[in-house]
PDB file of all heavy atoms in Angstrom:
ATOM      1  N   ALA A   6     -10.615   4.559  -6.204  1.00  0.00           N
ATOM      2  CA  ALA A   6      -9.222   4.993  -6.063  1.00  0.00           C
ATOM      3  C   ALA A   6      -8.961   6.012  -7.188  1.00  0.00           C
ATOM      4  O   ALA A   6      -8.887   5.644  -8.381  1.00  0.00           O
ATOM      5  CB  ALA A   6      -8.305   3.809  -6.206  1.00  0.00           C
ATOM      6  N   ASP A   7      -8.824   7.253  -6.837  1.00  0.00           N
ATOM      7  CA  ASP A   7      -8.586   8.308  -7.823  1.00  0.00           C
ATOM      8  C   ASP A   7      -7.195   8.150  -8.429  1.00  0.00           C
ATOM      9  O   ASP A   7      -6.231   8.051  -7.670  1.00  0.00           O
ATOM     10  CB  ASP A   7      -8.694   9.695  -7.178  1.00  0.00           C
ATOM     11  CG  ASP A   7     -10.107  10.043  -6.740  1.00  0.00           C
ATOM     12  OD1 ASP A   7     -11.029   9.345  -7.186  1.00  0.00           O
ATOM     13  OD2 ASP A   7     -10.262  10.942  -5.908  1.00  0.00           O
ATOM     14  N   ARG A   8      -7.104   8.158  -9.740  1.00  0.00           N
ATOM     15  CA  ARG A   8      -5.804   8.042 -10.435  1.00  0.00           C
ATOM     16  C   ARG A   8      -5.580   9.287 -11.246  1.00  0.00           C
ATOM     17  O   ARG A   8      -6.482   9.794 -11.877  1.00  0.00           O
ATOM     18  CB  ARG A   8      -5.780   6.810 -11.300  1.00  0.00           C
ATOM     19  CG  ARG A   8      -5.830   5.513 -10.537  1.00  0.00           C
ATOM     20  CD  ARG A   8      -5.901   4.340 -11.488  1.00  0.00           C
ATOM     21  NE  ARG A   8      -4.683   4.210 -12.255  1.00  0.00           N
ATOM     22  CZ  ARG A   8      -3.696   3.367 -11.962  1.00  0.00           C
ATOM     23  NH1 ARG A   8      -3.776   2.577 -10.913  1.00  0.00           N
ATOM     24  NH2 ARG A   8      -2.648   3.295 -12.736  1.00  0.00           N
ATOM     25  N   VAL A   9      -4.324   9.757 -11.207  1.00  0.00           N
ATOM     26  CA  VAL A   9      -3.939  10.970 -11.929  1.00  0.00           C
ATOM     27  C   VAL A   9      -2.665  10.649 -12.697  1.00  0.00           C
ATOM     28  O   VAL A   9      -1.746  10.079 -12.178  1.00  0.00           O
ATOM     29  CB  VAL A   9      -3.712  12.142 -10.930  1.00  0.00           C
ATOM     30  CG1 VAL A   9      -3.119  13.327 -11.682  1.00  0.00           C
ATOM     31  CG2 VAL A   9      -4.933  12.521 -10.212  1.00  0.00           C
ATOM     32  N   LEU A  10      -2.641  11.049 -13.978  1.00  0.00           N
ATOM     33  CA  LEU A  10      -1.414  11.002 -14.755  1.00  0.00           C
ATOM     34  C   LEU A  10      -0.878  12.412 -14.692  1.00  0.00           C
ATOM     35  O   LEU A  10      -1.468  13.360 -15.206  1.00  0.00           O
ATOM     36  CB  LEU A  10      -1.683  10.607 -16.188  1.00  0.00           C
ATOM     37  CG  LEU A  10      -0.472  10.612 -17.111  1.00  0.00           C
ATOM     38  CD1 LEU A  10       0.636   9.655 -16.640  1.00  0.00           C
ATOM     39  CD2 LEU A  10      -0.900  10.260 -18.524  1.00  0.00           C
ATOM     40  N   ALA A  11       0.281  12.600 -14.022  1.00  0.00           N
ATOM     41  CA  ALA A  11       0.871  13.896 -13.846  1.00  0.00           C
ATOM     42  C   ALA A  11       2.247  13.913 -14.498  1.00  0.00           C
ATOM     43  O   ALA A  11       2.961  12.906 -14.515  1.00  0.00           O
ATOM     44  CB  ALA A  11       1.003  14.250 -12.360  1.00  0.00           C
ATOM     45  N   GLU A  12       2.608  15.088 -15.004  1.00  0.00           N
ATOM     46  CA  GLU A  12       3.917  15.253 -15.621  1.00  0.00           C
ATOM     47  C   GLU A  12       4.669  16.310 -14.787  1.00  0.00           C
ATOM     48  O   GLU A  12       4.191  17.426 -14.648  1.00  0.00           O
ATOM     49  CB  GLU A  12       3.759  15.740 -17.075  1.00  0.00           C
ATOM     50  CG  GLU A  12       5.088  15.826 -17.812  1.00  0.00           C
ATOM     51  CD  GLU A  12       4.861  16.195 -19.253  1.00  0.00           C
ATOM     52  OE1 GLU A  12       4.566  17.373 -19.498  1.00  0.00           O
ATOM     53  OE2 GLU A  12       4.937  15.304 -20.112  1.00  0.00           O
ATOM     54  N   LEU A  13       5.817  15.941 -14.265  1.00  0.00           N
ATOM     55  CA  LEU A  13       6.634  16.856 -13.504  1.00  0.00           C
ATOM     56  C   LEU A  13       7.951  17.058 -14.225  1.00  0.00           C
ATOM     57  O   LEU A  13       8.802  16.167 -14.259  1.00  0.00           O
ATOM     58  CB  LEU A  13       6.935  16.319 -12.092  1.00  0.00           C
ATOM     59  CG  LEU A  13       5.766  16.020 -11.202  1.00  0.00           C
ATOM     60  CD1 LEU A  13       6.253  15.508  -9.860  1.00  0.00           C
ATOM     61  CD2 LEU A  13       4.920  17.260 -11.008  1.00  0.00           C
ATOM     62  N   GLY A  14       8.130  18.225 -14.850  1.00  0.00           N
ATOM     63  CA  GLY A  14       9.382  18.531 -15.531  1.00  0.00           C
ATOM     64  C   GLY A  14       9.716  17.522 -16.626  1.00  0.00           C
ATOM     65  O   GLY A  14      10.874  17.216 -16.834  1.00  0.00           O
ATOM     66  N   GLY A  15       8.742  16.992 -17.307  1.00  0.00           N
ATOM     67  CA  GLY A  15       8.975  16.043 -18.407  1.00  0.00           C
ATOM     68  C   GLY A  15       8.833  14.585 -18.047  1.00  0.00           C
ATOM     69  O   GLY A  15       8.671  13.750 -18.907  1.00  0.00           O
ATOM     70  N   ALA A  16       8.877  14.240 -16.759  1.00  0.00           N
ATOM     71  CA  ALA A  16       8.732  12.861 -16.325  1.00  0.00           C
ATOM     72  C   ALA A  16       7.256  12.631 -15.964  1.00  0.00           C
ATOM     73  O   ALA A  16       6.663  13.423 -15.257  1.00  0.00           O
ATOM     74  CB  ALA A  16       9.641  12.575 -15.136  1.00  0.00           C
ATOM     75  N   ARG A  17       6.688  11.502 -16.427  1.00  0.00           N
ATOM     76  CA  ARG A  17       5.305  11.192 -16.163  1.00  0.00           C
ATOM     77  C   ARG A  17       5.178  10.185 -15.022  1.00  0.00           C
ATOM     78  O   ARG A  17       5.882   9.210 -14.973  1.00  0.00           O
ATOM     79  CB  ARG A  17       4.645  10.641 -17.416  1.00  0.00           C
ATOM     80  CG  ARG A  17       4.489  11.674 -18.469  1.00  0.00           C
ATOM     81  CD  ARG A  17       3.750  11.182 -19.641  1.00  0.00           C
ATOM     82  NE  ARG A  17       3.561  12.289 -20.632  1.00  0.00           N
ATOM     83  CZ  ARG A  17       2.802  12.227 -21.653  1.00  0.00           C
ATOM     84  NH1 ARG A  17       2.086  11.149 -21.876  1.00  0.00           N
ATOM     85  NH2 ARG A  17       2.703  13.252 -22.457  1.00  0.00           N
ATOM     86  N   TYR A  18       4.242  10.478 -14.150  1.00  0.00           N
ATOM     87  CA  TYR A  18       3.965   9.654 -12.966  1.00  0.00           C
ATOM     88  C   TYR A  18       2.489   9.368 -12.920  1.00  0.00           C
ATOM     89  O   TYR A  18       1.676  10.200 -13.240  1.00  0.00           O
ATOM     90  CB  TYR A  18       4.405  10.377 -11.676  1.00  0.00           C
ATOM     91  CG  TYR A  18       5.878  10.661 -11.593  1.00  0.00           C
ATOM     92  CD1 TYR A  18       6.373  11.866 -12.026  1.00  0.00           C
ATOM     93  CD2 TYR A  18       6.738   9.734 -11.083  1.00  0.00           C
ATOM     94  CE1 TYR A  18       7.736  12.164 -11.957  1.00  0.00           C
ATOM     95  CE2 TYR A  18       8.126  10.017 -10.998  1.00  0.00           C
ATOM     96  CZ  TYR A  18       8.577  11.235 -11.444  1.00  0.00           C
ATOM     97  OH  TYR A  18       9.920  11.519 -11.369  1.00  0.00           O
ATOM     98  N   VAL A  19       2.144   8.160 -12.435  1.00  0.00           N
ATOM     99  CA  VAL A  19       0.743   7.835 -12.163  1.00  0.00           C
ATOM    100  C   VAL A  19       0.589   7.865 -10.649  1.00  0.00           C
ATOM    101  O   VAL A  19       1.296   7.164  -9.915  1.00  0.00           O
ATOM    102  CB  VAL A  19       0.363   6.427 -12.695  1.00  0.00           C
ATOM    103  CG1 VAL A  19      -1.059   6.082 -12.269  1.00  0.00           C
ATOM    104  CG2 VAL A  19       0.507   6.408 -14.211  1.00  0.00           C
ATOM    105  N   LEU A  20      -0.329   8.706 -10.154  1.00  0.00           N
ATOM    106  CA  LEU A  20      -0.551   8.884  -8.747  1.00  0.00           C
ATOM    107  C   LEU A  20      -1.906   8.274  -8.445  1.00  0.00           C
ATOM    108  O   LEU A  20      -2.912   8.643  -9.066  1.00  0.00           O
ATOM    109  CB  LEU A  20      -0.541  10.344  -8.377  1.00  0.00           C
ATOM    110  CG  LEU A  20       0.644  11.181  -8.854  1.00  0.00           C
ATOM    111  CD1 LEU A  20       0.465  12.642  -8.526  1.00  0.00           C
ATOM    112  CD2 LEU A  20       1.937  10.665  -8.258  1.00  0.00           C
ATOM    113  N   THR A  21      -1.971   7.388  -7.483  1.00  0.00           N
ATOM    114  CA  THR A  21      -3.230   6.776  -7.075  1.00  0.00           C
ATOM    115  C   THR A  21      -3.559   7.213  -5.668  1.00  0.00           C
ATOM    116  O   THR A  21      -2.864   6.821  -4.714  1.00  0.00           O
ATOM    117  CB  THR A  21      -3.199   5.243  -7.146  1.00  0.00           C
ATOM    118  OG1 THR A  21      -2.764   4.883  -8.467  1.00  0.00           O
ATOM    119  CG2 THR A  21      -4.554   4.635  -6.879  1.00  0.00           C
ATOM    120  N   PHE A  22      -4.565   8.068  -5.506  1.00  0.00           N
ATOM    121  CA  PHE A  22      -4.992   8.603  -4.216  1.00  0.00           C
ATOM    122  C   PHE A  22      -6.053   7.683  -3.668  1.00  0.00           C
ATOM    123  O   PHE A  22      -6.905   7.200  -4.405  1.00  0.00           O
ATOM    124  CB  PHE A  22      -5.600   9.997  -4.371  1.00  0.00           C
ATOM    125  CG  PHE A  22      -4.620  11.033  -4.851  1.00  0.00           C
ATOM    126  CD1 PHE A  22      -4.537  11.324  -6.202  1.00  0.00           C
ATOM    127  CD2 PHE A  22      -3.819  11.724  -3.969  1.00  0.00           C
ATOM    128  CE1 PHE A  22      -3.665  12.283  -6.662  1.00  0.00           C
ATOM    129  CE2 PHE A  22      -2.908  12.671  -4.429  1.00  0.00           C
ATOM    130  CZ  PHE A  22      -2.828  12.958  -5.769  1.00  0.00           C
ATOM    131  N   GLY A  23      -5.985   7.428  -2.364  1.00  0.00           N
ATOM    132  CA  GLY A  23      -7.039   6.628  -1.710  1.00  0.00           C
ATOM    133  C   GLY A  23      -7.055   5.183  -2.178  1.00  0.00           C
ATOM    134  O   GLY A  23      -8.107   4.584  -2.248  1.00  0.00           O
ATOM    135  N   ASP A  24      -5.884   4.628  -2.452  1.00  0.00           N
ATOM    136  CA  ASP A  24      -5.779   3.238  -2.876  1.00  0.00           C
ATOM    137  C   ASP A  24      -6.058   2.383  -1.674  1.00  0.00           C
ATOM    138  O   ASP A  24      -5.267   2.345  -0.741  1.00  0.00           O
ATOM    139  CB  ASP A  24      -4.383   2.978  -3.443  1.00  0.00           C
ATOM    140  CG  ASP A  24      -4.227   1.604  -4.032  1.00  0.00           C
ATOM    141  OD1 ASP A  24      -5.257   0.914  -4.154  1.00  0.00           O
ATOM    142  OD2 ASP A  24      -3.086   1.223  -4.359  1.00  0.00           O
ATOM    143  N   GLU A  25      -7.152   1.643  -1.686  1.00  0.00           N
ATOM    144  CA  GLU A  25      -7.505   0.820  -0.535  1.00  0.00           C
ATOM    145  C   GLU A  25      -6.551  -0.345  -0.343  1.00  0.00           C
ATOM    146  O   GLU A  25      -6.454  -0.891   0.742  1.00  0.00           O
ATOM    147  CB  GLU A  25      -8.944   0.355  -0.674  1.00  0.00           C
ATOM    148  CG  GLU A  25      -9.905   1.536  -0.565  1.00  0.00           C
ATOM    149  CD  GLU A  25     -11.351   1.106  -0.666  1.00  0.00           C
ATOM    150  OE1 GLU A  25     -11.606  -0.121  -0.738  1.00  0.00           O
ATOM    151  OE2 GLU A  25     -12.224   1.981  -0.675  1.00  0.00           O
ATOM    152  N   ASP A  26      -5.860  -0.762  -1.412  1.00  0.00           N
ATOM    153  CA  ASP A  26      -4.912  -1.857  -1.259  1.00  0.00           C
ATOM    154  C   ASP A  26      -3.683  -1.460  -0.483  1.00  0.00           C
ATOM    155  O   ASP A  26      -3.049  -2.297   0.151  1.00  0.00           O
ATOM    156  CB  ASP A  26      -4.457  -2.312  -2.667  1.00  0.00           C
ATOM    157  CG  ASP A  26      -5.588  -2.950  -3.460  1.00  0.00           C
ATOM    158  OD1 ASP A  26      -6.566  -3.408  -2.829  1.00  0.00           O
ATOM    159  OD2 ASP A  26      -5.516  -2.967  -4.680  1.00  0.00           O
ATOM    160  N   ALA A  27      -3.394  -0.164  -0.457  1.00  0.00           N
ATOM    161  CA  ALA A  27      -2.184   0.297   0.235  1.00  0.00           C
ATOM    162  C   ALA A  27      -2.391   0.190   1.752  1.00  0.00           C
ATOM    163  O   ALA A  27      -1.426   0.003   2.491  1.00  0.00           O
ATOM    164  CB  ALA A  27      -1.827   1.714  -0.129  1.00  0.00           C
ATOM    165  N   GLY A  28      -3.635   0.348   2.205  1.00  0.00           N
ATOM    166  CA  GLY A  28      -3.932   0.177   3.630  1.00  0.00           C
ATOM    167  C   GLY A  28      -3.406   1.312   4.530  1.00  0.00           C
ATOM    168  O   GLY A  28      -3.155   1.089   5.704  1.00  0.00           O
ATOM    169  N   HIS A  29      -3.223   2.463   3.965  1.00  0.00           N
ATOM    170  CA  HIS A  29      -2.701   3.574   4.788  1.00  0.00           C
ATOM    171  C   HIS A  29      -3.728   4.675   5.016  1.00  0.00           C
ATOM    172  O   HIS A  29      -3.360   5.773   5.313  1.00  0.00           O
ATOM    173  CB  HIS A  29      -1.436   4.160   4.135  1.00  0.00           C
ATOM    174  CG  HIS A  29      -0.330   3.155   4.080  1.00  0.00           C
ATOM    175  ND1 HIS A  29       0.385   2.801   5.178  1.00  0.00           N
ATOM    176  CD2 HIS A  29       0.159   2.385   3.075  1.00  0.00           C
ATOM    177  CE1 HIS A  29       1.292   1.887   4.855  1.00  0.00           C
ATOM    178  NE2 HIS A  29       1.154   1.639   3.581  1.00  0.00           N
ATOM    179  N   GLY A  30      -4.972   4.399   4.737  1.00  0.00           N
ATOM    180  CA  GLY A  30      -6.023   5.351   5.031  1.00  0.00           C
ATOM    181  C   GLY A  30      -6.194   6.345   3.877  1.00  0.00           C
ATOM    182  O   GLY A  30      -5.427   6.370   2.936  1.00  0.00           O
ATOM    183  N   PRO A  31      -7.222   7.191   4.007  1.00  0.00           N
ATOM    184  CA  PRO A  31      -7.514   8.156   2.960  1.00  0.00           C
ATOM    185  C   PRO A  31      -6.491   9.292   2.948  1.00  0.00           C
ATOM    186  O   PRO A  31      -5.876   9.563   3.996  1.00  0.00           O
ATOM    187  CB  PRO A  31      -8.862   8.668   3.307  1.00  0.00           C
ATOM    188  CG  PRO A  31      -8.965   8.475   4.798  1.00  0.00           C
ATOM    189  CD  PRO A  31      -8.164   7.264   5.120  1.00  0.00           C
ATOM    190  N   PRO A  32      -6.279   9.942   1.822  1.00  0.00           N
ATOM    191  CA  PRO A  32      -5.380  11.094   1.755  1.00  0.00           C
ATOM    192  C   PRO A  32      -5.883  12.221   2.641  1.00  0.00           C
ATOM    193  O   PRO A  32      -7.096  12.341   2.908  1.00  0.00           O
ATOM    194  CB  PRO A  32      -5.428  11.506   0.304  1.00  0.00           C
ATOM    195  CG  PRO A  32      -6.051  10.407  -0.438  1.00  0.00           C
ATOM    196  CD  PRO A  32      -6.889   9.645   0.552  1.00  0.00           C
ATOM    197  N   ARG A  33      -4.995  13.033   3.118  1.00  0.00           N
ATOM    198  CA  ARG A  33      -5.390  14.209   3.906  1.00  0.00           C
ATOM    199  C   ARG A  33      -4.963  15.471   3.198  1.00  0.00           C
ATOM    200  O   ARG A  33      -4.048  15.451   2.423  1.00  0.00           O
ATOM    201  CB  ARG A  33      -4.812  14.121   5.339  1.00  0.00           C
ATOM    202  CG  ARG A  33      -3.322  14.114   5.331  1.00  0.00           C
ATOM    203  CD  ARG A  33      -2.832  13.860   6.781  1.00  0.00           C
ATOM    204  NE  ARG A  33      -1.457  13.566   6.771  1.00  0.00           N
ATOM    205  CZ  ARG A  33      -0.487  14.438   6.869  1.00  0.00           C
ATOM    206  NH1 ARG A  33      -0.769  15.709   7.009  1.00  0.00           N
ATOM    207  NH2 ARG A  33       0.788  14.094   6.876  1.00  0.00           N
ATOM    208  N   ARG A  34      -5.649  16.542   3.498  1.00  0.00           N
ATOM    209  CA  ARG A  34      -5.370  17.823   2.846  1.00  0.00           C
ATOM    210  C   ARG A  34      -5.234  18.857   3.944  1.00  0.00           C
ATOM    211  O   ARG A  34      -6.015  18.943   4.860  1.00  0.00           O
ATOM    212  CB  ARG A  34      -6.505  18.172   1.921  1.00  0.00           C
ATOM    213  CG  ARG A  34      -6.368  19.549   1.320  1.00  0.00           C
ATOM    214  CD  ARG A  34      -7.297  19.659   0.113  1.00  0.00           C
ATOM    215  NE  ARG A  34      -7.681  20.964  -0.250  1.00  0.00           N
ATOM    216  CZ  ARG A  34      -6.877  21.962  -0.630  1.00  0.00           C
ATOM    217  NH1 ARG A  34      -5.620  21.759  -0.649  1.00  0.00           N
ATOM    218  NH2 ARG A  34      -7.368  23.110  -0.976  1.00  0.00           N
ATOM    219  N   ARG A  35      -4.157  19.679   3.841  1.00  0.00           N
ATOM    220  CA  ARG A  35      -3.931  20.733   4.811  1.00  0.00           C
ATOM    221  C   ARG A  35      -4.324  22.060   4.196  1.00  0.00           C
ATOM    222  O   ARG A  35      -4.020  22.271   3.012  1.00  0.00           O
ATOM    223  CB  ARG A  35      -2.468  20.825   5.218  1.00  0.00           C
ATOM    224  CG  ARG A  35      -2.037  19.635   6.050  1.00  0.00           C
ATOM    225  CD  ARG A  35      -0.650  19.900   6.531  1.00  0.00           C
ATOM    226  NE  ARG A  35      -0.036  18.632   6.877  1.00  0.00           N
ATOM    227  CZ  ARG A  35       1.200  18.321   6.660  1.00  0.00           C
ATOM    228  NH1 ARG A  35       2.000  19.172   6.093  1.00  0.00           N
ATOM    229  NH2 ARG A  35       1.688  17.181   7.000  1.00  0.00           N
ATOM    230  N   GLY A  36      -4.836  22.944   4.954  1.00  0.00           N
ATOM    231  CA  GLY A  36      -5.144  24.298   4.482  1.00  0.00           C
ATOM    232  C   GLY A  36      -6.384  24.303   3.598  1.00  0.00           C
ATOM    233  O   GLY A  36      -6.660  23.336   2.889  1.00  0.00           O
ATOM    234  N   GLY A  37      -7.131  25.350   3.624  1.00  0.00           N
ATOM    235  CA  GLY A  37      -8.357  25.423   2.763  1.00  0.00           C
ATOM    236  C   GLY A  37      -9.315  24.349   3.078  1.00  0.00           C
ATOM    237  O   GLY A  37      -9.478  23.978   4.230  1.00  0.00           O
ATOM    238  N   ARG A  38      -9.991  23.841   2.072  1.00  0.00           N
ATOM    239  CA  ARG A  38     -11.003  22.784   2.321  1.00  0.00           C
ATOM    240  C   ARG A  38     -10.326  21.450   2.499  1.00  0.00           C
ATOM    241  O   ARG A  38      -9.267  21.195   1.948  1.00  0.00           O
ATOM    242  CB  ARG A  38     -11.963  22.764   1.164  1.00  0.00           C
ATOM    243  CG  ARG A  38     -12.716  24.032   1.026  1.00  0.00           C
ATOM    244  CD  ARG A  38     -13.806  23.990   0.052  1.00  0.00           C
ATOM    245  NE  ARG A  38     -13.345  23.406  -1.214  1.00  0.00           N
ATOM    246  CZ  ARG A  38     -14.109  23.322  -2.297  1.00  0.00           C
ATOM    247  NH1 ARG A  38     -15.324  23.768  -2.294  1.00  0.00           N
ATOM    248  NH2 ARG A  38     -13.654  22.813  -3.419  1.00  0.00           N
ATOM    249  N   ARG A  39     -10.981  20.577   3.209  1.00  0.00           N
ATOM    250  CA  ARG A  39     -10.457  19.228   3.411  1.00  0.00           C
ATOM    251  C   ARG A  39     -10.839  18.364   2.257  1.00  0.00           C
ATOM    252  O   ARG A  39     -11.805  18.613   1.588  1.00  0.00           O
ATOM    253  CB  ARG A  39     -11.000  18.664   4.717  1.00  0.00           C
ATOM    254  CG  ARG A  39     -10.578  19.487   5.917  1.00  0.00           C
ATOM    255  CD  ARG A  39     -10.854  18.838   7.219  1.00  0.00           C
ATOM    256  NE  ARG A  39     -10.215  17.550   7.334  1.00  0.00           N
ATOM    257  CZ  ARG A  39      -8.923  17.355   7.650  1.00  0.00           C
ATOM    258  NH1 ARG A  39      -8.132  18.377   7.830  1.00  0.00           N
ATOM    259  NH2 ARG A  39      -8.441  16.141   7.785  1.00  0.00           N
ATOM    260  N   ALA A  40     -10.066  17.313   1.998  1.00  0.00           N
ATOM    261  CA  ALA A  40     -10.311  16.468   0.866  1.00  0.00           C
ATOM    262  C   ALA A  40     -11.678  15.786   0.930  1.00  0.00           C
ATOM    263  O   ALA A  40     -12.272  15.433  -0.075  1.00  0.00           O
ATOM    264  CB  ALA A  40      -9.197  15.376   0.772  1.00  0.00           C
ATOM    265  N   GLY A  41     -12.201  15.535   2.123  1.00  0.00           N
ATOM    266  CA  GLY A  41     -13.499  14.872   2.272  1.00  0.00           C
ATOM    267  C   GLY A  41     -14.668  15.813   2.145  1.00  0.00           C
ATOM    268  O   GLY A  41     -15.792  15.396   2.318  1.00  0.00           O
ATOM    269  N   ALA A  42     -14.443  17.061   1.829  1.00  0.00           N
ATOM    270  CA  ALA A  42     -15.538  18.071   1.794  1.00  0.00           C
ATOM    271  C   ALA A  42     -16.116  18.210   0.400  1.00  0.00           C
ATOM    272  O   ALA A  42     -16.372  19.284  -0.087  1.00  0.00           O
ATOM    273  CB  ALA A  42     -14.981  19.420   2.261  1.00  0.00           C
ATOM    274  N   GLY A  43     -16.371  17.076  -0.264  1.00  0.00           N
ATOM    275  CA  GLY A  43     -17.040  17.109  -1.567  1.00  0.00           C
ATOM    276  C   GLY A  43     -16.122  16.938  -2.748  1.00  0.00           C
ATOM    277  O   GLY A  43     -16.593  16.494  -3.792  1.00  0.00           O
ATOM    278  N   ASP A  44     -14.902  17.260  -2.648  1.00  0.00           N
ATOM    279  CA  ASP A  44     -13.953  17.180  -3.771  1.00  0.00           C
ATOM    280  C   ASP A  44     -13.078  15.906  -3.566  1.00  0.00           C
ATOM    281  O   ASP A  44     -12.654  15.637  -2.471  1.00  0.00           O
ATOM    282  CB  ASP A  44     -13.062  18.379  -3.911  1.00  0.00           C
ATOM    283  CG  ASP A  44     -13.784  19.586  -4.412  1.00  0.00           C
ATOM    284  OD1 ASP A  44     -14.816  19.407  -5.097  1.00  0.00           O
ATOM    285  OD2 ASP A  44     -13.315  20.703  -4.183  1.00  0.00           O
ATOM    286  N   SER A  45     -12.786  15.227  -4.665  1.00  0.00           N
ATOM    287  CA  SER A  45     -11.899  14.067  -4.567  1.00  0.00           C
ATOM    288  C   SER A  45     -10.468  14.591  -4.419  1.00  0.00           C
ATOM    289  O   SER A  45     -10.140  15.709  -4.796  1.00  0.00           O
ATOM    290  CB  SER A  45     -12.036  13.197  -5.817  1.00  0.00           C
ATOM    291  OG  SER A  45     -11.473  13.893  -6.924  1.00  0.00           O
ATOM    292  N   PRO A  46      -9.534  13.771  -3.891  1.00  0.00           N
ATOM    293  CA  PRO A  46      -8.175  14.200  -3.719  1.00  0.00           C
ATOM    294  C   PRO A  46      -7.523  14.570  -5.064  1.00  0.00           C
ATOM    295  O   PRO A  46      -6.698  15.488  -5.126  1.00  0.00           O
ATOM    296  CB  PRO A  46      -7.502  12.982  -3.101  1.00  0.00           C
ATOM    297  CG  PRO A  46      -8.565  12.183  -2.452  1.00  0.00           C
ATOM    298  CD  PRO A  46      -9.787  12.477  -3.280  1.00  0.00           C
ATOM    299  N   SER A  47      -7.890  13.859  -6.154  1.00  0.00           N
ATOM    300  CA  SER A  47      -7.250  14.191  -7.417  1.00  0.00           C
ATOM    301  C   SER A  47      -7.698  15.571  -7.912  1.00  0.00           C
ATOM    302  O   SER A  47      -6.912  16.296  -8.505  1.00  0.00           O
ATOM    303  CB  SER A  47      -7.576  13.098  -8.462  1.00  0.00           C
ATOM    304  OG  SER A  47      -8.919  12.945  -8.612  1.00  0.00           O
ATOM    305  N   VAL A  48      -8.960  15.905  -7.644  1.00  0.00           N
ATOM    306  CA  VAL A  48      -9.435  17.239  -8.059  1.00  0.00           C
ATOM    307  C   VAL A  48      -8.725  18.314  -7.214  1.00  0.00           C
ATOM    308  O   VAL A  48      -8.333  19.351  -7.759  1.00  0.00           O
ATOM    309  CB  VAL A  48     -10.950  17.332  -7.899  1.00  0.00           C
ATOM    310  CG1 VAL A  48     -11.447  18.757  -8.105  1.00  0.00           C
ATOM    311  CG2 VAL A  48     -11.625  16.410  -8.888  1.00  0.00           C
TER     312      VAL A  48
END
C-alpha cells in the first residue's frame, strides 16, 4: 500500500494508494502511462 505524505497549501495529508483494506480496487490513472505500467501510484 503506497503511502504519501503530501502538503496542500500548508495542510498535511497522508494518502494511501492501493489500500487493500479499503476493498475498492487498485488506483487508476488517466492520460499518459497507466499506473500499472511499472510505476507505483505514489510515484
Side-chain angles (χ1 to χ4, degrees):
D7 293 343
R8 293 175 67 98
V9 173
L10 176 61
E12 185 177 76
L13 301 180
R17 291 184 177 191
Y18 298 91
V19 175
L20 311 174
T21 306
F22 296 94
D24 186 9
E25 293 181 4
D26 295 336
H29 296 287
R33 60 187 167 91
R34 174 163 157 63
R35 291 188 201 142
R38 297 188 313 184
R39 299 191 58 79
D44 288 337
S45 69
S47 57
V48 171

